[in-house]
Amino acid sequence: MHGNVRISGAKNSALPIIAASLVSTKKVILENIPDLVDVRTMIELVEYIGSEVEFSHNTLKMHTPKIKNFDAPYDIVRKMRASYYVLGALMARSNQAKVSLPGGCAIGPRPIDLHIKGMKALGVDINVSEGFINAKAKKLIGHDVNLQGPKGTSVGATINVMIAATGAKGDTVISSAACEPEVVDVADFLNVSGCHVSGQGTHTIVIKGSGSAKDVEYAVIPDRIEAGTFAVAAVLTGGSINITGCCPEHLASVLDKLEESGGRVTRKKNSMFVNGHGRKQAINVYVAPFPGFPTDMQAQFMALLATVPGTSTIKETIFENRFMQAVELMRMGADITIEGDTAVINGVRQLSSAYLMASDLRASASLVLAGLAAKGETIVRRIYHLDRGYEKFEEKLRSLGARIERQSE
Ligand code: EPZ
């Protein structure tokens, strides 16, 4: 694959920022919003809650003069876990919320105990019954809370509690906060819209409650996982791609591992040139919260390492069940053994085409990449998973020389 590709806005920033926009009674204009199925689902949810929304050409205009509904219905939440971000927003805006409990998903049980712990710390009377999170408070009160979880920090809990705390009286100090670039992006958005958040990007975030809302215009950061996916595609196919509109700094751990495996990366402020002409070598990948290696990139690396000579390993420390792409890659002739939370990958010369089934968003991206490098024509089913997180994926791949097309079932 050769050529230029422009990266879209970050899904995992856009979703919480759209939800956080419910807090303000003022007009909100969001730029660089990717046109994804999940974004459309979040728009459906905030409109149900009471927002007037216009969305076109990656610009979203939103205004919520009045909250009409204080709940997030099961039929919307079951489609997208990130719906739980309206819990923090409704508590900050109206001190009450009823949110359908997001179940587990393909990659793990994904409990929300830290979200509930954080809300309780702010004085919220919160319980879970009949599949709903029921939350109310006379007034949110700022308080210290430690959000350390069994797998380390939590992106979702940090963001949800941070949003809620903007509506509290007094200061909130979140310790063991997640440091992901998306957490920083939400905090920066809250500050532009009149709140007082500091420490974002570190493990201690301070929110001075009750900022004064103001009209806001904000552009979300580029999607580092989409950028990482195209960087892997360049090395996997032995090509060279200039990836623009991205922030290499946000995926330093990914690019370091790509270089260790034989890729060559030229990093600039908002772009990077990746070529895969170099000799490949086996590596060990250890997944960890930011600035560690992101769990959302391990599936794509498994597809890459399946044809890298030698024995590589990937240790997945965040989600319990995120190696589902392995069995599909084995159908293509990959030599992979799963030992608990570690995948052992013995590189083969080339994968061969096969009929494949996608199981989740990042697994589906890894199967498409593997298909691009395999001998013969590969068919990947259940690609609705892809549309949740990649904007115009096959168009972008085709513009880089990939022979790929979408067919209806
Ligand atoms: C976000 O999920 C992302 N989703 C995920 O990306 C990403 O994989 C994950 O962060 C980790 O980086 C969105 O931003 C919408 P967590 P989130 O809370 O917030 C446990 C993708 O492919 N935990 O950081 O749900 C949890 O089970 C998606 O775009 C608790 O135990 O992740 C997990 O093991 C997939 N209790 C770990 O912490 C809690 O209350 C990290 O989860 C919350 C989390």
Side-chain angles (χ1 to χ4, degrees), residues 7 46 83 113 147 240 257 282 300 304 310 315 331 333 348 351:
I7 297 304
V46 296
S83 307
D113 55 312
L147 292 181
S240 55
K257 280 292 165 189
Q300 298 91 318
L304 167 68
K315 192 175 173 65
R331 295 167 51 77
V348 298
L351 297 177

Side-chain angles (χ1 to χ4, degrees), residues 15-264:
L15 298 177
I17 288 176
I18 296 170
S21 302
L22 285 170
V23 177
S24 171
T25 55
K26 303 287 184 181
K27 292 203 169 73
V28 177
I29 299 177
L30 301 175
E31 307 284 357
N32 202 26
I33 299 292
D35 192 348
L36 303 168
V37 169
D38 277 9
V39 165
R40 298 272 172 182
T41 304
M42 186 58 88
I43 291 173
E44 184 192 348
L45 180 54
V46 296
E47 283 179 328
Y48 166 81
I49 289 172
S51 304
E52 295 141 15
V53 177
E54 278 172 51
F55 182 42
S56 71
H57 306 300
N58 302 111
T59 297
L60 188 146
K61 295 187 178 146
M62 193 171 153
H63 188 207
T64 319
K66 191 171 171 303
I67 298 289
K68 294 195 186 104
N69 293 300
F70 299 91
D71 65 306
Y74 170 75
D75 272 345
I76 299 181
V77 177
R78 71 178 173 75
K79 290 190 275 186
M80 180 186 67
R81 299 178 51 75
S83 307
Y84 58 34
Y85 285 130
V86 299
L87 172 66
L90 285 170
M91 289 315 297
R93 170 90 183 247
S94 331
N95 295 332
Q96 61 170 303
K98 180 177 180 178
V99 175
S100 174
L101 196 61
C105 81
I107 64 177
R110 306 185 74 175
I112 55 151
D113 55 312
L114 295 170
H115 299 243
I116 291 176
K117 176 184 177 188
M119 297 300 163
K120 280 188 176 156
L122 299 177
V124 178
D125 170 8
I126 186 165
N127 64 63
V128 175
S129 73
E130 293 164 5
F132 280 87
I133 305 161
N134 306 291
K136 64 182 186 320
K138 286 203 183 55
K139 177 92 192 101
L140 297 183
I141 308 295
H143 200 282
D144 298 3
V145 60
N146 183 311
L147 292 181
Q148 180 70 19
K151 305 294 175 74
T153 55
S154 161
V155 172
T158 301
I159 290 177
N160 228 341
V161 176
M162 183 168 69
I163 297 171
T166 62
K169 187 167 173 304
D171 298 0
T172 296
V173 179
I174 299 176
S175 52
S176 302
C179 302
E180 271 70 4
E182 295 78 22
V183 172
V184 175
D185 205 20
V186 176
D188 294 349
F189 165 75
L190 291 170
N191 283 339
V192 172
S193 52
C195 303
H196 306 289
V197 183
S198 57
Q200 58 269 32
T202 75
H203 289 306
T204 305
I205 296 178
V206 179
I207 305 102
K208 292 193 175 315
S210 304
S212 54
K214 51 187 177 186
D215 287 355
V216 61
E217 201 158 331
Y218 189 83
V220 304
I221 58 173
D223 196 308
R224 63 192 167 108
I225 306 300
E226 184 197 13
T229 302
F230 280 104
V232 168
V235 178
L236 178 67
T237 60
S240 55
I241 304 178
N242 189 32
I243 302 172
T244 61
C246 65
C247 184
E249 210 182 295
H250 287 170
L251 61 168
S253 59
V254 172
L255 302 180
D256 293 350
K257 280 292 165 189
L258 213 48
E259 285 170 330
E260 203 186 317
S261 74
R264 297 215 194 94

Side-chain angles (χ1 to χ4, degrees), residues 286-309:
Y286 184 96
V287 166
F290 191 89
F293 186 95
T295 171
D296 296 348
M297 281 301 303
Q298 62 93 336
Q300 298 91 318
F301 264 69
M302 188 180 280
L304 167 68
L305 298 173
T307 56
V308 166

